[in-house]
Amino acid sequence: MRIGIVILPDQRWAQSQRRWRQADEWNFDHAWTYDHLGWRDLVDGPWFDSMTTLTAAATVTSRIKLGTLVASPNFRHPAAFARQITALDDISGGRTLLGVGSGGIGFDSAVLGGETLPPRQRVDRFAEFVELLDLVLREDGTTWRGEWFSAVDARNNPGCVQTPRVPFVVAANGPRAMRLVTRFGQGWVTTGSGGEDLESWWAGVAELSTRLDRALDEAGRDPATMDRYLSMDAAPVFSLSSAQFFADQVGRAAELGFTDVVTHWPRASSWYAGDEDVLVDVATRLLPELRRA
């Protein structure tokens, strides 16, 4: 089991860099940040760009993988985004993971003045976004005219450090998005499918895992080629409520076939509020054991 942590981009770098350095020193396998222009009730507080934050994180870390959880077409164009991804992969020495998703409603979908798309159209746009992004990152001189995006002779020179491109970790719950996972993903990430209590949330996670198995089988793809990431803090209970609870949640994820889990750095209040001492305990005492789960 590989274990990762999300560090929200809600602090100035003078404060935030401590967390990224510490995650690296604690030997977390991957560290992520949200790719939003503003997020939920934190939209009125400090908030910083994801790719700039990850680039800065690459310069103060040495081994941990770094990624977006998740980037979306709400405000990204594949041709321009590919340049940022290529730069991050170069600066990090090939440590980039690219989480991608369809993009939800809310601030990101409204701040640029466009219309809020219904779910079907968001998935249509996402499919084109992923296909074009994959193409631009792998090939030089891409021309594309689609329903949602256009590109004329888009360049990728020198390309990513990782070949043929950085790994895509595709967020998906529904059947159409699952098919994108099987076509383009080196990994799949899910937040589950709701659930008012912990047991119903885990039941939903189990169903989604089975749904991915079916999609992989229909695509003729070996399940061993797909990493499975679970964002545990979408559950009704924060995963770092206690060290024992965290260990229990990791164990349940392993039983369902997940290869990777992700928690969040505890915050003082609001989302992911918790005690940083619990994180320290997990990282210094339990992490080596949990990684063997």
Side-chain angles (χ1 to χ4, degrees):
M1 176 68 74
R2 293 180 293 262
I3 300 174
I5 190 162
V6 177
I7 301 171
L8 295 187
D10 63 342
Q11 293 183 330
R12 291 192 181 276
W13 183 246
Q15 299 171 281
S16 180
Q17 64 175 300
R18 172 189 70 86
R19 295 180 172 181
W20 294 93
R21 291 178 190 270
Q22 191 67 76
D24 194 38
E25 292 169 6
W26 278 334
N27 288 318
F28 277 94
D29 295 286
H30 29 76
W32 309 79
T33 200
Y34 285 2
D35 188 44
H36 293 290
L37 298 178
W39 186 70
R40 297 190 178 180
D41 62 355
L42 303 186
V43 71
D44 294 323
W47 196 264
F48 295 92
D49 175 70
S50 66
M51 297 302 285
T52 308
T53 296
L54 291 169
T55 301
T59 68
V60 299
T61 58
S62 61
R63 44 151 300 279
I64 196 168
K65 293 185 180 296
L66 305 167
T68 52
L69 200 71
V70 292
S72 81
N74 270 343
F75 55 91
R76 298 287 186 190
H77 188 290
F81 193 33
R83 284 301 198 191
Q84 293 178 291
I85 296 163
T86 301
L88 176 60
D89 202 45
D90 179 65
I91 293 167
S92 67
R95 291 186 285 131
T96 301
L97 295 169
L98 187 69
V100 290
S102 62
I105 61 175
F107 188 81
D108 284 354
S109 65
V111 66
L112 300 183
E115 64 175 314
T116 297
L117 300 176
R120 175 171 289 277
Q121 286 184 291
R122 290 205 304 274
V123 176
D124 290 342
R125 182 184 62 175
F126 182 42
E128 191 172 312
F129 175 81
V130 173
E131 185 171 0
L132 179 54
L133 186 60
D134 168 72
L135 191 61
V136 174
L137 286 171
R138 288 188 297 103
E139 299 182 9
D140 198 31
T142 297
T143 295
W144 176 282
R145 301 203 181 278
E147 181 181 356
W148 300 97
F149 301 102
S150 296
V152 179
D153 197 23
R155 302 306 180 92
N156 80 343
N157 189 27
C160 297
V161 173
Q162 301 175 84
T163 56
R165 55 155 170 78
V166 301
F168 284 8
V169 180
V170 182
N173 281 359
R176 294 178 63 210
M178 287 283 191
R179 288 195 288 272
L180 291 177
V181 176
T182 66
R183 286 185 62 196
F184 298 104
Q186 285 66 57
W188 165 62
V189 60
T190 184
T191 56
S193 58
E196 295 183 0
D197 57 67
L198 193 60
E199 291 307 313
S200 61
W201 183 79
W202 275 110
V205 170
E207 169 56 31
L208 290 171
S209 185
T210 300
R211 185 179 296 174
L212 178 67
D213 288 336
R214 290 196 297 264
L216 290 169
D217 183 63
E218 291 170 1
R221 182 164 172 181
D222 182 357
T225 66
M226 181 67 65
D227 292 332
R228 302 181 185 216
Y229 294 75
L230 178 63
S231 183
M232 295 194 297
D233 295 328
V237 182
F238 183 38
S239 63
L240 288 170
S241 297
S242 72
Q244 185 58 56
F245 182 74
F246 184 84
D248 292 344
Q249 299 302 92
V250 172
R252 294 187 72 163
E255 290 173 359
L256 291 176
F258 284 90
T259 59
D260 297 73
V261 294
V262 182
T263 187
H264 288 71
W265 197 290
R267 303 178 68 254
S269 61
S270 186
W271 296 94
Y272 316 120
D275 187 346
E276 199 167 297
D277 286 344
V278 176
L279 172 62
V280 173
D281 187 25
V282 166
T284 58
R285 184 173 61 87
L286 294 181
L287 205 58
E289 177 183 344
L290 293 174
R291 193 176 283 114
R292 293 192 294 269

